[in-house]
Amino acid sequence: DAKTTQPNSMESNEEEPVHLPCNHSTISGTDYIHWYRQLPSQGPEYVIHGLTSNVNNRMASLAIAEDRKSSTLILHRATLRDAAVYYCILRGLINYGQNFVFGPGTRLSVLP
Amino acid sequence: DGGITQSPKYLFRKEGQNVTLSCEQNLNHDAMYWYRQDPGQGLRLIYYSQIVNDFQKGDIAEGYSVSREKKESFPLTVTSAQKNPTAFYLCASSPTDQNYGYTFGSGTRLTVV
């Protein structure tokens, strides 16, 4: 199964940009890169996903390396509400559930 | 509004008892999943179902059982065979196309007393 690795924790100041990295060196050509975030005692929330090209939405931007072995979630202006655990995961063509593996993620702290 | 509903939010179980956690979705998603989360940890897959009347074991299926009699519903039973059931349980659903993500429920916190 394709796996991802992320830093355990990161810290940011409020209203500054945040770049959350993710490595996925064993990604296959059909794997989509998904990002979710989870607040305490809540279910994960979808943030963004992509395949090859960079993606933007109202929440964040996703920058995907040309070789697709890494990606970066960009929060353009961090707010206190962005403090959460961020998960980078891969969703593949087969075995949907088993390919959607959630590691420990990156715990983002936002300082006022 | 479409969504996925888990109930109850909190559940207490005595040792040796079976309990069933409810998960209902009205998103018309074919696939549904159950995850377990322990404090400070990521999510671990218990079971998943891609279609009605079919489901597959995940990484930690021992001590759990599921059914998928309707597209909208995917209940999880925590049996007495599960040695350490205290955890946060999350249900999710998705289309089967990998270009779509999960929608998660708000979770059920199970505590064995």
Side-chain angles (χ1 to χ4, degrees), chain B:
Chain B
D1 286 340
I4 184 164
T5 302
Q6 290 188 243
S7 61
K9 190 171 180 65
Y10 299 96
L11 187 57
F12 296 90
R13 186 194 95 171
K14 293 183 179 179
E15 286 194 27
Q17 284 184 337
N18 294 351
V19 290
T20 297
L21 283 58
S22 171
C23 179
E24 304 277 335
Q25 56 101 358
N26 61 3
L27 300 165
N28 199 34
H29 287 168
D30 286 314
M32 296 187 73
Y33 317 80
W34 275 104
Y35 283 92
R36 168 181 172 141
Q37 187 173 37
D38 294 290
Q41 305 297 311
L43 282 64
R44 291 186 290 169
L45 184 67
I46 304 172
Y47 270 97
Y48 68 101
S49 168
Q50 299 177 48
I51 195 169
V52 173
N53 292 323
D54 184 59
F55 46 83
Q56 305 296 325
K57 292 182 179 180
D59 300 322
I60 56 166
E62 185 174 352
Y64 300 97
S65 66
V66 294
S67 63
R68 185 88 186 276
E69 298 177 0
K70 298 187 300 181
K71 187 175 185 177
E72 301 80 16
S73 179
F74 192 41
L76 173 74
T77 296
V78 185
T79 74
S80 57
Q82 170 50 237
K83 298 305 178 188
N84 185 21
T86 295
F88 188 48
Y89 291 88
L90 287 158
C91 180
S93 69
S94 76
T96 51
D97 188 328
Q98 76 269 32
N99 191 18
Y100 293 87
Y102 278 165
T103 300
F104 280 88
S106 55
T108 292
R109 189 166 300 280
L110 173 64
T111 303
V112 173
V113 297

Side-chain angles (χ1 to χ4, degrees), chain A residues 1-109:
Chain A
D1 290 342
K3 297 288 197 301
T4 63
T5 56
Q6 302 175 252
N8 288 335
S9 62
M10 292 185 65
E11 205 171 79
S12 173
N13 293 319
E14 197 175 9
E15 298 190 1
E16 290 188 355
V18 182
H19 290 232
L20 298 166
C22 180
N23 288 318
H24 28 79
S25 58
T26 59
I27 191 171
S28 74
T30 55
D31 286 343
Y32 281 77
I33 302 159
H34 288 249
W35 282 81
Y36 289 78
R37 69 181 185 184
Q38 186 180 24
L39 297 172
S41 298
Q42 295 187 23
E45 172 192 30
Y46 168 83
V47 177
I48 199 167
H49 79 284
L51 183 62
T52 57
S53 302
N54 294 344
V55 184
N56 300 297
N57 67 21
R58 63 176 180 82
M59 291 181 70
S61 295
L62 176 60
I64 301 172
E66 193 169 342
D67 63 5
R68 301 210 325 125
K69 293 185 176 181
S70 66
S71 60
T72 302
L73 179 70
I74 303 165
L75 306 179
H76 296 286
R77 291 180 70 238
T79 70
L80 296 178
R81 290 178 297 177
D82 291 324
V85 177
Y86 286 79
Y87 299 100
C88 166
I89 55 180
L90 303 178
R91 186 168 189 193
L93 187 60
I94 60 172
N95 293 331
Y96 308 104
Q98 292 174 356
N99 276 352
F100 230 167
V101 176
F102 287 76
T106 297
R107 183 173 298 278
L108 175 66
S109 301

